[in-house]
Amino acid sequence: MEQEALISAPEPQRIPLLARVLIDSPVPHLDRPFDYSVPVSLRDRVQPGMRVKVPFGGRQLDGFITELIPDADPGFKVRELGKLISETRVLYPEVLATAELVAERYAGTLWDVVRQAVPPRAARVEKEDLAADALAAGQLTLPEVPVNQLSHYTGGAQALSDWGEGSLHRAVATWVPNFPGSWPGFVLDAARPVLGRGKRVLVIVPDAADLERLGTYLDETIGPEFYARLQAEDGPTPRYRNFLRAICGHVPVVIGTRSAALCHIPDLELVILWQDGDQSHRELRAPYQHSREVALLRSQHTGCSLLIASPSRSVEAQRLVDTGWAQELKLPRDLLRRQVARVAATTTDFELERDPVLARARIPSLAWREASRALESAPVLVQVARTGFMPALACQECRSFARCPHCQGPLQLGGAGGAVNCRWCGTYYRDHRCANCGSPRLRAVSIGAERTAEELGQAFAKVPVISSTGAKPVRQVPDKPALVVATPGVEPVAAAGYGAVLLLDADKMLAHDSLRNAEEVISRWFTAAALARPDGVVVLTGNPSPAGNALVRWDPAGFAERELAERHEIGLPPAVRSAIVTGPGAERFIGQLQLPVTVHGPSIDEQTREHRYVLFFSYAQGPAVTAALRGLRASMSAAKDPLVTVRVDPDEVL
């Protein structure tokens, strides 16, 4: 009888289960989770963070389960989940919460942030036994170093101690070259105390070239099995495989470009951001977040430590030091002078007296002398502002710019003996005449990398000339005499460093009318100068400037401090926060924005020809302003009003 009773006993009633799903939609007024009932067949399988398909508006949309909750009102019917795409959890609560903070700060939608944090699925990778690969890799053993190079920095010993104890420590470091391992060695030295305790480190770099250089160094020091590399250029399958290795905790080190800033990593204790002033850290898709701000929000939310390091110093990083949010790490002056190359400017009193004419030439006599001396035993780097042969032309007679008659684009000369063509539409002109005076004669307004390489090749006929540009980058050059002509950002690395680094076109680089131009130029100079040997020389051409003086003194922090003080005086970013509103609905959007902010505009956007408004507001007002921008954009979207684009804290405000 007891057995019959057990058999006939009714099954306990299961409480209906709801899944809250973040759906794949960039539409602002749909920026919230939607509830779906979980079918009985899926209740034992679904978990927060899994990918699903759900019915929405007559379509099946992708989404992520963000939460599972009991149905509080079973009488109210909701639609069922359409399909469980994968049982692999890829979106974790910590990442979701940080992504929401990013969306709030940049007045964007949560889905736009999440889709950048979680790469597309590669189904067959989920069937691989990644855990077995991690187990086979064994325990990470760090190579011994005589002295951790961070211990040479003021404040470095305290940072290493805190990271070794698991204490929160945020720092901004001005990296100085010519220690073993160059900057990848600096990064690994910073990570040592954390890795030594079995915890994990995330390293974010600007671009593929830096990622390749860091990866090569880690291959040689800890081995490829102990780190995961995250970048879209690797392809969907390798990227997803490395993503799973990272989120499952199979590797102690994760390196990547800006999308890696929100990768879930178990036991993450330290985030290292390399060269935060590089524009590649800015996401090109909405909500246009910057890796530095994502790292700051992640550090605040999760309590992980943060190190921002660069050969120069961004004004935003200087603000973190000034406010006390981060500690400054810098090399003492006496040690710094022994580590870096000598910097010579062609506009010193001595050079002007010695060579009053050629000191202002594009390649002054000082640059020729130092290049000739260095080429006896080492390669020489020449940094130029522009690519091409003659990327800008003007009339020889009236000096008016040479423009294409069809599209008004700038004309250029593609090579020695080549025909003139338009940079915009590509039309060739073999018999071009000036539209202003009719003269057929042209002159160069600027000289590009190809023309510079040709001129130097003729002057130094006994050494090879290597050209490195964005279109044809060269990653590394051998340690033997050669002239390397490169545009900013693609300077090759020399194995033992360059004997001389010539920084040409300083005046042209500084002439660009932009709030951040000097800051960006000095970053390019310090990046190139850091490639010189300690006994080498860096030659800076052009007229005297505050940026040039900072390079001669090797004082990027001082330059950033003065820039920040000036921004405070005139009320410009990053002393204040900013936002740009553009689009067909911008005028109406600004009219409905009832906030105590300073509004400049409208002006006409040069690219879209639409209204453009610039907003300035304080950091204290920031959360309220971005919440209002986000909410108004959603309400206008729901009303089907004309669209607007909102960029918060953009790189280019003025």
Side-chain angles (χ1 to χ4, degrees):
M1 294 292 293
E2 291 182 4
Q3 187 175 1
E4 290 181 5
L6 288 173
I7 294 174
S8 60
E11 291 186 8
Q13 279 194 328
R14 293 192 178 187
I15 300 175
L17 190 64
L18 290 182
R20 288 200 166 142
V21 179
L22 178 67
I23 63 171
D24 178 359
S25 175
V27 180
H29 67 274
L30 299 180
D31 185 31
R32 62 180 179 84
F34 291 84
D35 290 347
Y36 290 87
S37 66
V38 180
V40 175
S41 60
L42 295 179
R43 286 185 183 178
D44 295 331
R45 299 165 56 194
V46 296
Q47 291 186 49
M50 290 181 176
R51 304 177 197 260
V52 292
K53 275 193 178 292
V54 295
F56 191 91
R59 297 182 297 162
Q60 291 286 322
L61 297 182
D62 291 331
F64 294 103
I65 298 176
T66 61
E67 189 180 1
L68 292 173
I69 58 173
D71 190 350
D73 186 7
F76 182 76
K77 289 188 176 182
V78 294
R79 303 185 74 176
E80 283 191 348
L81 285 177
K83 180 183 178 183
L84 182 62
I85 296 177
S86 170
E87 295 186 32
T88 301
R89 295 185 66 190
V90 291
L91 181 61
Y92 285 77
E94 168 254 336
V95 173
L96 183 64
T98 307
E100 178 60 36
L101 294 175
V102 173
E104 290 173 357
R105 192 188 194 286
Y106 286 94
T109 62
L110 180 58
W111 177 264
D112 280 341
V113 181
V114 168
R115 69 184 172 90
Q116 296 167 20
V118 181
R121 178 181 180 237
R124 69 175 184 178
V125 175
E126 294 179 355
K127 301 175 183 178
E128 298 175 0
D129 191 358
L130 301 177
D133 294 340
L135 189 63
Q139 186 73 23
L140 171 63
T141 302
L142 292 170
E144 295 291 334
V145 290
V147 180
N148 190 309
Q149 59 180 292
L150 266 77
S151 63
H152 295 292
Y153 287 67
T154 302
Q158 183 62 50
L160 292 172
S161 175
D162 288 345
W163 293 332
E165 295 171 358
S167 302
L168 174 64
H169 190 105
R170 303 180 180 113
V172 172
T174 303
W175 171 74
V176 174
N178 295 314
F179 279 104
S182 191
W183 68 263
F186 178 88
V187 167
L188 185 58
D189 275 6
R192 285 176 182 276
V194 175
L195 297 176
R197 292 188 299 106
K199 303 301 181 180
R200 294 179 174 84
V201 175
L202 169 64
V203 185
I204 310 166
V205 299
D207 53 36
D210 290 322
L211 195 63
E212 181 180 334
R213 188 175 179 190
L214 178 59
T216 300
Y217 179 80
L218 294 179
D219 286 342
E220 298 170 351
T221 51
I222 66 174
E225 65 274 18
F226 290 108
Y227 75 92
R229 185 174 84 168
L230 300 177
Q231 72 161 347
E233 288 82 356
D234 286 342
T237 299
R239 181 188 182 192
Y240 193 60
R241 180 181 294 113
N242 278 324
F243 174 75
L244 293 183
R245 293 174 67 210
I247 66 175
C248 294
H250 294 163
V251 290
V253 180
V254 178
I255 65 175
T257 49
R258 57 181 180 261
S259 62
L262 278 174
C263 177
H264 169 71
I265 303 171
D267 292 327
L268 176 65
E269 283 203 358
L270 176 63
V271 176
I272 302 175
L273 184 67
W274 174 248
Q275 274 199 307
D276 68 300
D278 194 302
Q279 289 184 340
S280 296
H281 279 296
R282 172 73 63 180
E283 179 56 54
L284 302 179
R285 299 172 294 174
Y288 315 106
Q289 72 271 20
H290 194 286
S291 299
R292 176 185 54 248
E293 306 307 322
V294 176
L296 298 183
L297 291 171
R298 187 166 191 173
S299 177
Q300 284 184 312
H301 177 68
T302 66
C304 65
S305 296
L306 175 64
L307 172 63
I308 299 174
S310 175
S312 59
R313 174 76 61 83
S314 71
V315 182
E316 283 82 0
Q318 183 60 39
R319 180 182 171 275
L320 297 177
V321 173
D322 284 1
T323 58
W325 196 87
Q327 181 189 8
E328 183 179 32
L329 306 183
K330 62 180 181 180
L331 211 60
R333 200 72 192 167
D334 56 339
L335 184 56
L336 182 146
R337 280 301 175 190
R338 295 199 299 268
Q339 290 297 125
V340 301
R342 175 175 60 90
V343 182
T346 59
T347 51
T348 61
D349 293 338
F350 174 77
E351 287 299 326
L352 288 174
E353 182 178 347
R354 180 176 184 177
D355 187 3
V357 177
L358 287 180
R360 283 183 165 79
R362 184 164 187 263
I363 307 180
S365 58
L366 173 63
W368 287 109
R369 292 196 308 271
E370 296 296 349
S372 301
R373 187 180 299 116
L375 283 171
E376 295 176 3
S377 59
V380 170
L381 174 64
V382 182
Q383 186 193 70
V384 297
R386 304 285 296 275
T387 187
F389 194 80
M390 290 184 183
L393 300 172
C395 176
Q396 177 68 36
E397 307 300 333
C398 68
R399 298 296 195 264
S400 61
F401 281 102
R403 296 282 180 182
C404 173
H406 294 295
C407 69
Q408 296 303 307
L411 297 184
Q412 66 177 357
L413 184 64
V420 174
N421 71 298
C422 175
R423 285 218 315 266
W424 290 1
C425 68
T427 304
Y428 280 86
Y429 298 95
R430 300 194 179 277
D431 299 311
H432 171 78
R433 287 185 175 273
C434 176
N436 185 45
C437 68
S439 172
R441 302 177 64 194
L442 293 169
R443 67 187 298 270
V445 175
S446 62
I447 302 297
E450 293 176 16
R451 175 61 183 270
T452 304
E454 183 181 278
E455 291 178 352
L456 292 174
Q458 294 172 355
F460 299 96
K462 295 183 179 180
V463 297
V465 179
I466 302 171
S467 180
S468 178
T469 64
K472 297 179 180 178
V474 177
R475 301 298 189 205
Q476 193 164 4
V477 295
D479 187 27
K480 59 184 180 181
L483 275 167
V484 182
V485 181
T487 50
V490 287
E491 298 90 350
V493 175
Y498 290 99
V501 174
L502 312 183
L503 304 176
L504 306 185
D505 305 330
D507 293 338
K508 288 185 176 66
M509 294 174 76
L510 290 170
H512 182 59
D513 189 15
S514 166
L515 176 66
R516 295 183 179 273
N517 184 57
E519 180 186 346
E520 293 170 0
V521 169
I522 199 172
S523 175
R524 296 168 187 162
W525 288 349
F526 273 103
T527 300
L531 299 175
R533 298 176 177 181
D535 58 350
V537 62
V538 177
V539 179
L540 177 66
T541 65
N543 293 306
S545 66
N549 295 337
L551 179 64
V552 171
R553 295 192 305 270
W554 207 283
D555 184 22
F559 177 82
E561 189 175 6
R562 286 188 295 274
E563 280 283 306
L564 182 59
E566 291 179 3
R567 309 275 179 89
H568 276 293
E569 289 179 6
I570 57 181
L572 288 177
V576 297
R577 294 191 60 189
S578 62
I580 293 178
V581 179
T582 57
E587 188 173 4
R588 184 172 182 177
F589 185 92
I590 294 297
Q592 297 183 49
L593 191 64
Q594 302 298 322
L595 285 173
V597 298
T598 303
V599 180
H600 295 272
S603 60
I604 302 299
D605 189 280
E606 294 181 0
Q607 295 181 344
T608 64
R609 310 306 299 171
E610 295 171 339
H611 282 164
R612 179 180 187 269
Y613 292 86
V614 179
L615 284 60
F616 293 117
F617 47 95
S618 68
Y619 281 85
Q621 295 173 306
V625 172
T626 55
L629 292 172
R630 193 182 186 194
L632 182 55
R633 189 162 169 260
S635 63
M636 289 182 65
S637 170
K640 298 187 181 336
D641 286 337
L643 297 176
V644 296
T645 299
V646 178
R647 293 174 179 261
V648 177
D649 296 325
D651 291 327
E652 294 293 340
V653 180
L654 299 175

